[in-house]
Amino acid sequence: MKTKILLKESEMPTHWYNVAADLSNPPAPYLGPDGNPVPPEAMLAIFPEALVMQEVSTERWIEIPGEVREALSLWRPSPLFRAHRLEQALKTPAKIYYKNEAVSPAGSHKPNTAVAQAYYNKQAGIKRLVTETGAGQWGCSLALAGQMFGIDVRVFMVKISYQQKPYRRSMMQTWGAEVFASPTNMTETGRRILAEHPDSNGSLGIAISEAVEEAAGRADSNYALGSVLNHVCLHQTIIGQEAKKQLEMVGDYPDVVIACCGGGSNFAGLAFPFVADKAAGKNVQLIAAEPTSCPTLTKGVYTYDWGDAVGLTPLMKMYTLGHDFMPPGIHAGGLRYHGDSALVSQLHKEGVVDAVAVPQLETFEAGVLFARTEGIIPAPESTHAIAATIREAKRCTETGEPKTLLFNLSGHGHFDMASYDRYFAGELEDFEYPEEAIKESLAHLPKFG
Amino acid sequence: MKTKILLKESEMPTHWYNVAADLSNPPAPYLGPDGNPVPPEAMLAIFPEALVMQEVSTERWIEIPGEVREALSLWRPSPLFRAHRLEQALKTPAKIYYKNEAVSPAGSHKPNTAVAQAYYNKQAGIKRLVTETGAGQWGCSLALAGQMFGIDVRVFMVKISYQQKPYRRSMMQTWGAEVFASPTNMTETGRRILAEHPDSNGSLGIAISEAVEEAAGRADSNYALGSVLNHVCLHQTIIGQEAKKQLEMVGDYPDVVIACCGGGSNFAGLAFPFVADKAAGKNVQLIAAEPTSCPTLTKGVYTYDWGDAVGLTPLMKMYTLGHDFMPPGIHAGGLRYHGDSALVSQLHKEGVVDAVAVPQLETFEAGVLFARTEGIIPAPESTHAIAATIREAKRCTETGEPKTLLFNLSGHGHFDMASYDRYFAGELEDFEYPEEAIKESLAHLPKFG
């Protein structure tokens, strides 16, 4: 029984797959506050041209530069595992495979795009990348990538995380990044917030604003984002392409492809390469798993909204709970985003991508079962994919169908053990966001045109 | 330029290499307090027969059971890396390779022996393994292995670590192990200590005593040790065997082999497979790197001493600083052992193995340089091997010799970021153990015969 399915380094994909080429309808453009499309040039203030071109490209295949491939090869191709022990524990006739993206030095799929972004910015002569981070997964990935390409990295880290979760901060510093507790007095946004609320704990919205302000104001600096945008989703498609090849090696193809979904890049990475197959008539179901506490795809509306909390970004057509939606402090920090990738949203709207919402306790139960069978302790984000996979596997047990399930283990939980502690202590609870509150924040959607 | 050198799963070693077959002199037997050799049968109270036979075997090759190989294949064969970026940073003509043992789910080389020990105990009908752990690396590895083979694991964790380093405890619990802050009131030793010192922080010596007492007193329970013993070193030799094959694949062979050395199993794992070559005339230097704060091989004496702090174990002939030597609270917790593996000690005595001592600040400096060049944040233990390798590489820069260096990256530093924090804050210092204090503890060596 084959457990670990490996590709040779020479079998790593040479191109990223651009799902925009296989959409039934053209991608909805980003809009300015006046309701008119934002020209790509406007994005050049904070992104290098190569990434802006990728953002708006509809070419199906985009070549991965050799230097990016070389950087990725430090940990790629990542292994695909057949979860024999989990299958046995579930007594399911289903075959469960998972792609292990926890093997990167930063511990998640995020470096797949971080190295590409660092590379293109370096090529464009940029000296410094500025970004924000909540719990620190993305900040770590960009710090690592910046170090690999000799580009400075400055991270605005939400102050409450900076204080309460110091180890991801240490990790960023070990990789040479500058990390600041946001709000800072380095930006106008930060100074304004601090003047009003000297004890502000910060928020992701504030940190984004600080990072964008800093990047836009300096010619030698650009901004980098870890999810949501088209080029970020693009860079992650190496995951699904590898998984397809690995399944081919054992003569298999998935009936169901599952990944957790916050901003959408991890889901996009695994699932997008299957969209073309689906369009060509293949019977494969694509499921995005999200928390019931932040049910963007399952309870949001598909409309134009801002990508950030305070309206600095262009308007994107996406599933949203409203840009001022405040999800509770659940343990899967990476899934607390009010919106979703425009591409994932459009595919969901068009019926190509399904979505399920999973409550927090079910995700931890799934994570512990996974750790005890497969040996790897998953990140709280990834446990959403595991829980959704277990639901499918149990359905197979009931129906007797021997389906092939594939999910993405997007990261390990080494920096989330405090959350496991609280789960074991019975201190966690489920949280279903009240319909009333969602209606309330949806009432603040931007109005124009 | 090849960076990552991978073996196929089918190329994983089928046998462990037993260095006892290639010693110039027969291994020194374990002695009882009366000075007479301890018969192997005496060890059956706490170890299964298969492991006792391995402990005293002089057969050169011992077959790895299929189930152990299958368990190891979850993360093995581990990758060998050529450290191109580190070489460039050092401007050295040396070629630097490292074996990455951080890829196991527990994050270090320790599971290599944990799965073997869990397997043999399961085969022997044992229901529960009992062990001690300091910072938690070994406890995690045994918890993982116990889960894989369906055997319960009970860990006595030094109380101060239990309280101050909760995340390795959470990890053990996630893998289903029972973890107790030692001293407990579950054992006579624990109760006696608590009666005298109700606020005792515990120590590794006390935790060992509790674990051995518990294991010896229950027919369904055995004891498991994570380093020092011959069978533990044996199980680690899979590391060096793989590394040799991987170097062969790129037509290389090391001039110098380097690993950090606490109890000795990580050093043994990488270096022992080269001992036979050396005996056959190959010119390869084997270097054990230890902390200046616990300089067992470099400043200890080669004599019989107890393996634990309180005299419960047999006497082993080894380099020792004295069983009541109290090393300072350095950050490489895994290297704070007063003695050393009997096999490593004998090889050092016979001139086959060299040793160097490295001060703490030099190890962290090396660890940060490694993280910033190779991308992986190393465990504080592993940074001793990195620092010793950097010394060799710098020597090559001076002499112009293009030596081939191979070291063992025994584990990652994900649970040691607080130590990196203190390093960056300038709060760490070097500590060279005073000769006087070593003399003092050496005066307490056991006397007999």
Side-chain angles (χ1 to χ4, degrees):
Chain A
M1 286 204 307
K2 191 78 180 164
T3 296
K4 189 170 59 176
I5 302 146
L6 298 175
L7 292 173
K8 290 182 208 148
E9 200 170 306
S10 59
E11 293 171 304
M12 201 162 79
T14 55
H15 291 70
W16 291 302
Y17 165 71
N18 184 5
V19 79
D22 287 311
L23 295 175
S24 309
N25 302 294
Y30 296 164
L31 302 184
D34 57 359
N36 292 320
V38 173
E41 305 79 69
M43 293 188 248
L44 292 175
I46 55 170
F47 296 118
E49 191 178 356
L51 291 178
V52 172
M53 291 300 101
Q54 290 177 3
E55 189 64 22
V56 298
S57 170
T58 52
E59 289 292 314
R60 185 169 284 105
W61 297 103
I62 295 175
E63 192 170 5
I64 308 174
E67 285 183 63
V68 173
R69 279 167 50 89
E70 198 188 312
L72 291 170
S73 75
L74 182 62
W75 67 92
R76 302 205 75 86
S78 71
L80 180 81
F81 285 91
R82 170 84 185 270
H84 287 298
R85 292 165 193 268
L86 177 61
E87 291 171 17
Q88 284 156 18
L90 295 169
K91 298 188 178 63
T92 179
K95 284 188 277 187
I96 303 175
Y97 293 92
Y98 64 95
K99 185 76 169 155
N100 184 4
E101 291 295 312
V103 295
S104 78
S108 79
H109 65 295
K110 296 264 179 190
N112 294 334
T113 184
V115 295
Q117 294 189 46
Y119 167 79
Y120 286 116
N121 277 288
K122 179 74 178 180
Q123 291 298 104
I126 290 297
K127 302 280 181 242
R128 182 161 62 194
L129 282 172
V130 190
T131 196
E132 72 288 334
T133 201
Q137 280 274 17
W138 169 243
C140 282
S141 302
L142 197 67
L144 168 71
Q147 191 61 243
M148 292 176 92
F149 287 98
I151 192 166
D152 292 343
V153 172
R154 177 167 281 189
V155 183
F156 291 89
M157 185 174 191
V158 177
K159 192 190 276 174
I160 188 83
S161 299
Y162 185 96
Q163 289 166 342
Q164 293 185 351
K165 300 183 174 178
Y167 299 137
R168 285 236 171 241
R169 169 186 49 71
S170 325
M171 211 170 180
M172 290 183 254
Q173 289 167 334
T174 303
W175 280 318
E178 294 175 293
V179 188
F180 303 97
S182 165
T184 71
N185 55 18
M186 298 158 58
T187 65
E188 268 187 42
T189 307
R191 285 187 291 270
R192 205 185 61 228
I193 302 275
L194 286 174
E196 289 172 27
H197 309 283
D199 298 328
S200 167
N201 279 329
S203 74
L204 203 57
I206 296 168
I208 293 176
S209 303
E210 290 206 279
V212 171
E213 182 186 325
E214 174 93 353
R218 291 170 180 266
D220 65 350
S221 299
N222 265 344
Y223 175 68
L225 194 65
S227 191
V228 180
L229 296 179
N230 300 351
H231 68 269
V232 181
C233 294
L234 176 80
H235 299 155
Q236 295 293 354
T237 58
I238 197 164
I239 302 172
Q241 290 184 69
E242 284 181 5
K244 265 169 108 165
K245 278 195 206 179
Q246 287 162 311
L247 285 172
E248 268 171 38
M249 286 168 67
V250 290
D252 225 330
Y253 188 87
D255 296 297
V256 190
V257 174
I258 300 164
C260 64
C261 196
S265 76
N266 147 56
F267 174 78
L270 184 69
F272 280 4
F274 292 93
V275 167
D277 297 359
K278 202 172 158 90
K282 271 271 193 190
N283 190 11
V284 50
Q285 192 186 2
L286 310 176
I287 302 179
E290 61 184 17
T292 51
S293 52
C294 189
T296 317
L297 294 171
T298 51
K299 295 206 172 163
V301 296
Y302 184 59
T303 186
Y304 272 101
D305 197 2
W306 285 293
D308 66 330
V310 293
L312 277 185
T313 70
L315 293 157
M316 292 183 280
K317 194 160 188 188
M318 60 181 178
Y319 279 88
T320 177
L321 295 164
H323 56 275
D324 55 2
F325 171 82
M326 284 295 281
I330 57 161
H331 290 264
L335 304 181
R336 296 175 66 224
Y337 183 58
H338 70 275
D340 214 316
S341 143
L343 291 170
V344 171
S345 294
Q346 185 168 339
L347 286 162
H348 181 49
K349 182 68 184 175
E350 292 172 358
V352 179
V353 162
D354 296 333
V356 295
V358 190
Q360 182 161 264
L361 292 177
E362 184 181 341
T363 67
F364 274 93
E365 191 187 344
V368 170
L369 178 62
F370 184 77
R372 292 185 180 175
T373 50
E374 296 299 312
I376 301 167
I377 298 178
E381 289 81 7
S382 313
T383 61
H384 289 72
I386 299 171
T389 302
I390 289 174
R391 283 186 186 181
E392 291 296 320
K394 285 183 173 168
R395 207 164 287 141
C396 289
T397 310
E398 283 164 25
T399 63
E401 282 177 291
K403 282 189 179 176
T404 297
L405 315 178
L406 167 67
F407 76 87
N408 203 14
L409 183 70
S410 56
H412 63 60
H414 296 175
F415 294 88
D416 303 286
M417 295 316 302
S419 303
Y420 279 91
D421 259 4
R422 295 197 56 198
Y423 170 68
F424 287 127
E427 290 168 19
L428 297 192
E429 50 190 26
D430 286 338
F431 191 90
E432 193 148 346
Y433 216 81
E435 304 275 353
E436 299 308 307
I438 295 175
K439 268 187 204 147
E440 166 77 15
S441 58
L442 287 176
H444 305 155
L445 285 172
K447 288 172 188 64
F448 58 86
Chain B
M1 286 205 308
K2 191 80 180 162
T3 295
K4 190 170 57 175
I5 303 146
L6 298 175
L7 292 173
K8 291 183 208 149
E9 199 171 307
S10 59
E11 293 171 304
M12 199 163 78
T14 56
H15 292 70
W16 290 302
Y17 165 71
N18 185 4
V19 80
D22 286 312
L23 294 176
S24 308
N25 301 295
Y30 295 164
L31 302 183
D34 56 1
N36 291 320
V38 173
E41 304 80 69
M43 293 187 249
L44 293 174
I46 55 171
F47 296 118
E49 191 178 355
L51 291 179
V52 172
M53 290 300 100
Q54 290 177 4
E55 189 64 22
V56 297
S57 170
T58 52
E59 288 292 315
R60 184 170 283 107
W61 296 103
I62 295 176
E63 192 170 5
I64 308 175
E67 285 183 64
V68 173
R69 278 166 52 89
E70 198 187 311
L72 291 171
S73 75
L74 182 62
W75 67 93
R76 301 206 76 86
S78 70
L80 181 82
F81 285 90
R82 170 85 184 271
H84 287 298
R85 291 164 193 270
L86 177 60
E87 290 170 18
Q88 283 156 18
L90 295 170
K91 298 186 178 65
T92 178
K95 285 189 276 187
I96 303 176
Y97 293 93
Y98 64 94
K99 185 76 171 157
N100 184 4
E101 291 296 311
V103 295
S104 79
S108 80
H109 66 295
K110 297 264 179 191
N112 294 333
T113 183
V115 295
Q117 294 190 45
Y119 167 79
Y120 286 117
N121 277 287
K122 180 73 178 182
Q123 291 297 104
I126 290 297
K127 302 278 182 246
R128 183 163 61 195
L129 282 172
V130 190
T131 198
E132 73 287 333
T133 203
Q137 280 274 18
W138 168 243
C140 282
S141 302
L142 196 67
L144 167 71
Q147 192 60 244
M148 292 177 93
F149 286 99
I151 193 165
D152 293 342
V153 172
R154 178 166 279 189
V155 183
F156 290 90
M157 185 174 190
V158 177
K159 192 189 274 173
I160 189 81
S161 299
Y162 185 96
Q163 289 166 344
Q164 292 185 351
K165 300 183 175 178
Y167 298 137
R168 285 237 170 239
R169 170 186 50 70
S170 326
M171 210 171 182
M172 290 184 252
Q173 289 167 335
T174 303
W175 280 318
E178 294 175 292
V179 188
F180 303 97
S182 166
T184 71
N185 55 18
M186 298 158 61
T187 65
E188 269 187 43
T189 307
R191 285 188 291 271
R192 206 184 61 226
I193 302 276
L194 287 173
E196 288 172 29
H197 308 284
D199 298 328
S200 167
N201 279 330
S203 74
L204 204 56
I206 295 169
I208 293 177
S209 302
E210 290 208 278
V212 170
E213 183 187 324
E214 175 92 353
R218 291 171 179 265
D220 66 349
S221 298
N222 265 345
Y223 174 68
L225 194 65
S227 190
V228 180
L229 296 179
N230 300 352
H231 68 269
V232 180
C233 293
L234 177 80
H235 299 155
Q236 296 293 354
T237 58
I238 197 164
I239 302 171
Q241 290 184 68
E242 284 181 4
K244 266 168 108 165
K245 279 195 206 181
Q246 287 162 312
L247 285 173
E248 268 171 38
M249 287 167 67
V250 290
D252 225 329
Y253 188 87
D255 296 298
V256 191
V257 174
I258 300 164
C260 64
C261 197
S265 76
N266 147 55
F267 174 78
L270 184 68
F272 280 5
F274 292 94
V275 168
D277 297 359
K278 202 172 157 88
K282 271 270 193 192
N283 190 11
V284 50
Q285 192 186 1
L286 310 175
I287 301 179
E290 60 183 17
T292 51
S293 53
C294 189
T296 316
L297 294 171
T298 50
K299 294 205 174 164
V301 296
Y302 184 59
T303 186
Y304 271 102
D305 197 1
W306 284 293
D308 66 331
V310 294
L312 277 184
T313 70
L315 292 158
M316 293 183 280
K317 195 159 188 189
M318 60 182 178
Y319 279 87
T320 178
L321 295 164
H323 56 276
D324 56 2
F325 172 81
M326 286 294 282
I330 57 162
H331 290 265
L335 304 183
R336 295 175 66 224
Y337 183 56
H338 70 275
D340 215 316
S341 144
L343 291 170
V344 171
S345 294
Q346 184 168 340
L347 286 162
H348 182 49
K349 182 67 183 173
E350 291 173 359
V352 179
V353 162
D354 296 333
V356 295
V358 190
Q360 184 161 263
L361 292 177
E362 184 181 341
T363 67
F364 274 93
E365 191 188 342
V368 170
L369 178 62
F370 184 78
R372 291 185 181 176
T373 50
E374 295 300 312
I376 301 168
I377 297 179
E381 289 81 7
S382 313
T383 60
H384 289 71
I386 299 171
T389 302
I390 289 174
R391 284 187 185 180
E392 291 296 321
K394 285 183 173 168
R395 207 164 288 141
C396 290
T397 310
E398 284 164 26
T399 63
E401 283 176 291
K403 282 190 179 177
T404 296
L405 315 178
L406 167 66
F407 77 87
N408 203 15
L409 182 70
S410 56
H412 63 60
H414 297 176
F415 294 88
D416 304 287
M417 295 316 301
S419 302
Y420 279 90
D421 261 3
R422 295 197 56 200
Y423 170 68
F424 288 125
E427 291 169 17
L428 297 193
E429 49 190 27
D430 287 337
F431 191 91
E432 193 149 346
Y433 216 81
E435 304 274 353
E436 298 308 307
I438 295 175
K439 267 187 204 146
E440 166 77 16
S441 57
L442 287 176
H444 304 156
L445 285 173
K447 289 174 185 63
F448 57 84

